[in-house]
Amino acid sequence: MSDLKKMINDCKIPFLFGLIVSFIITFVTRDYTIPVGWILGSIMGMIVYLVNIEMIDMIISLKKSVLIVMVMHFVKMMLYALALLAGIFMKQYVHLAAVFIALMLPKLTIYWTILGERRNH
């Protein structure tokens, strides 16, 4: 679980930055679904990251990688669909965009951390 704690710790600043930007856009457009979409997408992104960690742990311990990968990818796709479903049904495309960008928050944080480590070397 140390990987998840490290990721949550690394995602704090981008999450807060996105939340502040979404609140500013909310005050301008009077659309309250943007911060809700950002929070929902961030939570689902972390859950998908947790599923990835569990999938890797199961592959290492059980050695039945094909079945595990198929099941875990199905779970991840259902989580992505669940997060995006609210924006689709409400026909709030700004909410949908906020959820989509927030779903990528763990991946963007990983890329940003790797870029910073490469600059130090």
Side-chain angles (χ1 to χ4, degrees):
M1 278 304 196
S2 65
D3 291 336
L4 184 63
K5 288 180 183 177
K6 185 179 181 325
M7 178 55 71
I8 290 173
N9 195 22
D10 289 345
C11 282
K12 283 181 184 177
I13 293 173
F15 172 75
L16 291 175
F17 177 75
L19 194 62
I20 290 169
V21 168
S22 66
F23 276 123
I24 290 170
I25 294 172
T26 297
F27 288 127
V28 171
T29 62
R30 303 285 186 223
D31 187 9
Y32 66 92
T33 62
I34 300 168
V36 173
W38 181 260
I39 293 169
L40 174 70
S42 298
I43 290 171
M44 286 303 221
M46 286 297 164
I47 291 172
V48 168
Y49 184 74
L50 177 65
V51 168
N52 281 336
I53 292 172
E54 293 298 321
M55 179 176 66
I56 291 169
D57 289 342
M58 285 207 266
I59 288 172
I60 291 171
S61 66
L62 297 177
K63 308 287 188 213
K64 297 178 182 177
S65 61
V66 175
L67 180 64
I68 292 171
V69 169
M70 288 174 48
V71 170
M72 290 300 196
H73 279 296
F74 178 75
V75 169
K76 287 179 0 183
M77 290 302 119
M78 289 299 115
L79 289 172
Y80 283 139
L82 184 66
L84 294 171
L85 211 55
I88 293 170
F89 282 141
M90 292 188 317
K91 295 187 171 106
Q92 298 276 335
Y93 298 114
V94 180
H95 172 81
L96 191 61
V99 171
F100 180 73
I101 294 169
L103 280 172
M104 294 187 297
L105 188 64
K107 291 182 183 189
L108 295 174
T109 303
I110 290 171
Y111 296 147
W112 185 258
T113 304
I114 291 172
L115 180 67
E117 289 175 1
R118 284 188 180 176
R119 286 185 182 172
N120 290 336
H121 294 307

